[in-house]
Amino acid sequence: MSTVVAVTDWRRQLESKVKRLRVAATSDPTRAPELADALMQLTAVRLQAWAFAEAAADAPESVVVAARLLAAGGPVGPYASREDAARYFTATAQLATVQACLGLGEAAERTLAGLDAWRDQLGELPLLGSLAPETVVWTLLARARAATDPGAANSLAEAAAAHRYLAPITPNQAAAVHLLLADCRWLAGRPDAALAQHRLAIAELDRAFEMVDKIVDASVSALRNTDLVMANWI
């Protein structure tokens, strides 16, 4: 079985798992944490595959289930469950990323504003240490995509790029960050720098293809075609 088929099969298994857990959690509330984690895992896999439209189908439910678990643990504050808080943050950040990557900047901005308001209620709860590196990067990417100020977007994009030196991220996610930086450079009137970031994104996708054999040739070809168009502007 090729890696492409194996990855596709894994995604289908996750989708089936979510369906089973939806039914199980209806009659047995103790299965709700399993459902929440399965929904987050499915959304994470879709984000890494850049399947944003597919992720949009289940990401909102993931936030709702995570919010219910958080509320069941008592009032929001510094003594809230760190596990439940991290789950809710992750699910909400994933939703904001999906919205931002689908071009729904205003929706992503509202989602992130709600997340920030909720975080303010946590006080001294050490949440950051409970978040996966990919969650931190997706959050920064969503904030940058949703930002209306080019300077703020560029700073957030730089922060996302810098985070890869603190913790490893996948080539797929690294490519998404480079494309974000390319957009920021282009808006700043720096086409040469935008082109450089675009080529780095292509390199990351090529690396992903070599590592896991799951980046389709059409994706890289499309990026290369855009790369040629951008080169003509310089």
Side-chain angles (χ1 to χ4, degrees):
M1 180 184 295
S2 71
T3 305
V4 174
V5 175
V7 171
T8 302
D9 185 58
W10 181 39
R11 287 171 62 182
R12 288 174 178 169
Q13 289 180 30
L14 283 174
E15 291 167 359
S16 297
K17 181 180 180 180
V18 166
K19 291 178 181 178
R20 292 195 304 270
L21 285 171
R22 281 193 184 111
V23 176
T26 300
S27 57
D28 183 3
T30 62
R31 305 294 298 277
E34 293 180 65
L35 173 60
D37 292 339
L39 283 165
M40 283 197 309
Q41 187 179 20
L42 178 58
T43 303
V45 169
R46 287 169 169 169
L47 284 176
Q48 291 292 351
W50 293 10
F52 304 121
E54 289 183 28
D58 298 305
E61 179 187 2
S62 181
V63 175
V64 171
V65 176
R68 288 174 180 168
L69 288 170
L70 182 65
V76 175
Y79 300 106
S81 166
R82 188 162 60 177
E83 179 182 3
D84 290 341
R87 182 188 290 117
Y88 176 72
F89 184 101
T90 299
T92 306
Q94 288 178 338
L95 175 59
T97 302
V98 170
Q99 293 168 329
C101 291
L102 287 176
L104 305 174
E106 291 184 1
E109 187 177 10
R110 289 193 298 270
T111 299
L112 291 166
L115 184 62
D116 290 340
W118 168 76
R119 283 189 65 190
D120 289 341
Q121 301 177 47
L122 296 181
E124 299 299 322
L125 184 69
L127 180 61
L128 185 59
S130 300
L131 301 177
E134 70 175 51
T135 299
V136 176
V137 174
W138 283 132
T139 304
L140 291 168
L141 186 146
R143 291 186 187 280
R145 290 288 184 194
T148 55
D149 176 57
N154 186 71
S155 296
L156 289 162
E158 292 288 0
H163 198 272
R164 66 184 302 178
Y165 298 105
L166 301 178
I169 61 176
T170 67
N172 300 43
Q173 192 175 43
V177 172
H178 284 303
L179 289 176
L180 170 62
L181 287 167
D183 289 343
C184 290
R185 301 294 189 268
W186 186 267
L187 289 174
R190 299 172 57 195
D192 53 341
L195 180 59
Q197 290 296 329
H198 214 275
R199 287 172 174 164
L200 288 172
I202 293 173
E204 289 291 351
L205 291 180
D206 284 338
R207 187 164 71 92
F209 185 82
E210 294 172 359
M211 290 174 59
V212 297
D213 192 30
K214 72 175 183 179
I215 304 299
V216 292
D217 291 338
S219 297
V220 178
S221 297
L223 283 172
R224 286 196 172 117
N225 289 337
T226 308
D227 185 48
L228 292 173
V229 172
M230 293 176 67
N232 290 332
W233 281 80
I234 299 176

